[in-house]
């Protein structure tokens, strides 16, 4: 990857794919007849979410050398995300993900990432380390640690960044991508040593820390090396604890859930926006929570990411 002279607000690194979502809610896949096609994958979606909020974003990932890969390039550009580090892998198809939609809280996912996902074929010697170091925020995901060469590339990027600016580790635990939780823990621990922010739900925090109670999770993440721990608790809202003692506990914003799958990525992009805006912790968490709620009330992930005025409007209604 050629060296870039441009500095981004946010560079994410990790998963990308095509989401195929049923256009009928409440039906199993055996009965669904029509699907919508959307850009998906947590790293891509977080970049889209931040771009929707006016941030200059890019993603480091790989697709298949196929029509779905071409579609993802088009979608990234349409969303205003720089695709210069999205490269094709001839050997593997672009992944697709199906889901079933059973609101309010059951959205089974079916990943088609065999024999291997192209986004796990990111190589250390292809990274633009200057761009990674100079981005205001650099965001990596747990999935990127699940297989080589992506694992080594992700850790090399973190080491090169050396905690410059804000470095976010999205714990992003997907059990189907790992043989065993115990296999993941040492790589999670290594990533936490190089990150300044950790974000995860209770399942993800338990994989990273071995504890499950929210405040214990936050303390364990801080002890592992980060400055800010963000623990998502679903219907109980979100807990954020900073190393300096600042903390925020924010309840969820009530909405009628259509599809909960993109909410975490909307939260992530909005967290980045709040951190870059210099907001205090409570304001950042309230905004990120509301952005997640907005996406949960919509069918899609990427194309559902809200603008700042939409989030502010929901916050005004909820207050």
């Amino acid at each position: 990857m050629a060296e870039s002279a441009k500095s981004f607000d946010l560079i994410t690194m990790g998963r990308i794919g095509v989401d195929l979502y049923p256009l009928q809610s409440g039906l199993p896949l055996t009965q669904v007849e029509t699907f919508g096609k959307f850009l998906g994958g947590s790293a891509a979606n977080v970049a889209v979410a931040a771009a929707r909020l006016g941030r200059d974003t890019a993603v480091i990932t790989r697709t298949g050398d196929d029509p779905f890969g071409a579609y993802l390039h088009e979608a990234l550009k349409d969303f205003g995300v720089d695709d210069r580090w999205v490269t094709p892998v001839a050997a593997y198809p672009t992944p697709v993900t199906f889901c079933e939609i059973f609101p309010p809280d059951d959205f089974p996912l079916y990943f088609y990432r065999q024999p291997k996902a192209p986004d796990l074929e990111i190589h250390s010697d292809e990274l633009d380390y200057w761009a990674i170091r100079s981005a205001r925020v650099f965001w990596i995901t747990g999935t990127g640690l699940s297989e080589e060469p992506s694992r080594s590339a992700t850790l090399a990027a973190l080491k090169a960044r050396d905690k410059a600016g804000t470095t976010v580790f999205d714990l992003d635990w997907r059990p189907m991508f790992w043989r065993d939780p115990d296999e993941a823990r040492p790589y999670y621990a290594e990533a936490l040593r190089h990150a300044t922010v950790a974000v995860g739900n209770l399942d993800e925090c338990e994989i990273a820390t071995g504890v499950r109670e929210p405040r214990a999770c936050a303390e364990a993440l801080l002890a592992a090396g980060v400055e800010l721990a963000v623990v998502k608790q679903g219907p109980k809202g979100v807990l954020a604890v900073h190393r300096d003692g600042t903390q925020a506990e924010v309840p969820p914003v009530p909405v009628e859930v259509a599809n909960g799958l993109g909410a975490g990525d909307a939260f992530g992009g909005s967290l980045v926006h709040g951190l870059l805006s210099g907001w205090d912790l409570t304001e950042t968490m309230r905004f990120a929570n509301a952005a997640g709620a907005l996406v949960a009330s919509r069918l899609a992930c990427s194309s559902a990411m809200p603008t700042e005025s939409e989030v502010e409007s929901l916050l005004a209604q909820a207050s």
Side-chain angles (χ1 to χ4, degrees):
M1 298 181 185
E3 191 167 286
S4 161
K6 179 174 182 175
S7 182
F8 288 89
D9 289 330
L10 168 68
I11 295 176
T12 67
M13 179 175 176
R15 197 166 72 247
I16 196 170
V18 175
D19 287 346
L20 295 172
Y21 286 169
L23 297 183
Q24 295 117 313
S25 182
L27 289 179
L29 285 179
T30 52
Q31 297 175 31
V32 173
E33 295 182 353
T34 55
F35 296 85
K37 179 173 102 256
F38 305 97
L39 176 143
S42 58
N45 278 339
V46 168
V48 168
R52 276 281 172 93
L53 296 168
R55 296 300 174 179
D56 197 4
T57 72
V59 59
I60 300 168
T61 190
R62 305 195 74 181
T63 70
D65 190 7
D66 54 25
F68 275 150
Y71 160 72
L72 292 174
H73 276 279
E74 292 173 11
L76 287 169
K77 290 175 184 173
D78 287 347
F79 288 129
V81 177
D82 196 297
D83 67 343
R84 71 183 68 188
W85 298 302
V86 183
T87 56
V89 178
Y92 302 121
T94 299
V96 296
T97 302
F98 290 86
C99 80
E100 293 175 312
I101 298 178
F102 300 107
D105 58 4
D106 187 19
F107 307 99
L109 278 170
Y110 302 89
F111 291 96
Y112 291 78
R113 289 169 59 87
Q114 300 301 329
K116 188 178 186 179
D119 56 53
L120 294 172
E121 280 290 303
I122 302 171
H123 293 264
S124 303
D125 59 357
E126 296 173 339
L127 295 176
D128 183 340
Y129 290 104
W130 183 90
I132 288 167
R133 278 192 297 268
S134 64
R136 295 177 70 194
V137 179
F138 180 56
W139 179 289
I140 64 107
T141 74
T143 298
L145 299 172
S146 65
E147 281 193 51
E148 293 291 2
S150 170
R151 175 187 297 151
S152 291
T154 301
L155 293 173
L158 287 173
K159 288 171 185 170
R161 180 142 172 100
D162 195 26
K163 294 198 177 188
T166 299
T167 304
V168 183
F169 180 17
D170 175 3
L171 301 179
D172 180 44
W173 168 250
R174 303 286 181 176
M176 66 285 291
F177 300 160
W178 296 84
R179 284 181 291 275
D180 183 337
D182 290 335
E183 181 192 7
R185 288 194 172 101
Y187 301 115
Y188 273 56
E190 176 70 11
L192 286 168
R193 280 196 285 275
H194 297 284
T196 62
V197 180
V199 184
N201 61 31
L202 291 177
D203 289 340
E204 293 165 337
C205 290
E206 187 175 14
I207 292 297
T209 67
V211 296
R212 190 170 178 87
E213 191 278 323
R215 195 159 293 277
C217 286
E219 295 297 339
L221 290 168
L222 294 175
V226 301
E227 295 169 15
L228 174 63
V230 180
V231 182
K232 296 183 284 189
Q233 306 174 72
K236 293 185 177 176
V238 63
L239 169 68
V241 181
H242 196 280
R243 183 181 295 281
D244 67 8
T246 310
Q247 52 188 279
E249 195 153 12
V250 177
V253 179
V255 293
E256 186 170 337
V257 174
N259 182 358
L261 291 174
D265 299 330
F267 180 98
S270 299
L271 169 65
V272 169
H273 182 58
L275 293 172
L276 289 174
S277 299
W279 298 343
D280 67 38
L281 203 51
T282 298
E283 183 179 6
T284 299
M285 292 303 127
R286 285 183 70 245
F287 186 92
N289 241 7
L294 264 177
V295 172
S297 72
R298 300 167 174 177
L299 171 67
C301 291
S302 51
S303 58
M305 296 301 173
T307 62
E308 188 162 3
S309 61
E310 287 176 317
V311 179
E312 287 170 349
S313 175
L314 179 61
L315 281 170
Q317 292 169 30
S319 62

